[in-house]
Amino acid sequence: GNTVQRFVSSMEARPQAARVALETVLGIFRRITDSPAEQKFRRIRISNPTFQNKVASHAGGRDLLLAANFRYAGEDSLEYQHEDIVPLLVASSVLEIA
């Protein structure tokens, strides 16, 4: 709730960039919920240029992932370490109405 609102309000001047960031995060969540056993979908390299440009460069971008139970795994990764995908389904539904 609050994390999403903070992110969206920080992007009000750039609605297209906000939409791209939200769609990127939703895509990350969707890949995990569609293929929960695939470990490669659970880890995001923070230095990845696409992730940097579309999500991390925006205020609150990483916070969206942290709010959805992603955790830092080393210096350059965020990882969804839970077996339960329900939190991602809930987070997806919240983001879809943002």
Side-chain angles (χ1 to χ4, degrees):
N2 192 23
T3 301
V4 174
Q5 289 170 339
R6 184 173 51 237
F7 177 74
V8 172
S9 67
S10 75
M11 301 288 285
E12 283 179 348
R14 300 169 55 203
Q16 183 59 35
R19 177 58 39 205
V20 168
L22 287 172
E23 288 173 1
T24 302
V25 170
L26 282 169
I28 292 166
F29 294 174
R30 196 171 305 112
R31 282 188 287 284
I32 295 170
T33 57
D34 288 350
S35 304
E38 273 296 338
Q39 291 302 312
K40 68 180 178 182
F41 295 141
R42 292 172 170 262
R43 185 177 286 245
I44 300 161
R45 204 168 39 87
I46 296 168
S47 63
N48 176 296
T50 301
F51 179 73
Q52 277 297 316
N53 292 335
K54 292 184 178 181
V55 180
S57 62
H58 305 294
R62 285 189 205 181
D63 291 339
L64 288 175
L65 295 167
L66 293 170
N69 290 319
F70 277 76
R71 296 295 173 254
Y72 286 98
E75 291 183 21
D76 190 41
S77 295
L78 283 169
E79 186 172 11
Y80 189 77
Q81 300 172 344
H82 300 281
E83 292 301 316
D84 186 7
I85 60 168
V86 171
L88 287 181
L89 295 171
V90 171
S92 292
S93 66
V94 169
L95 289 177
E96 286 172 356
I97 60 172

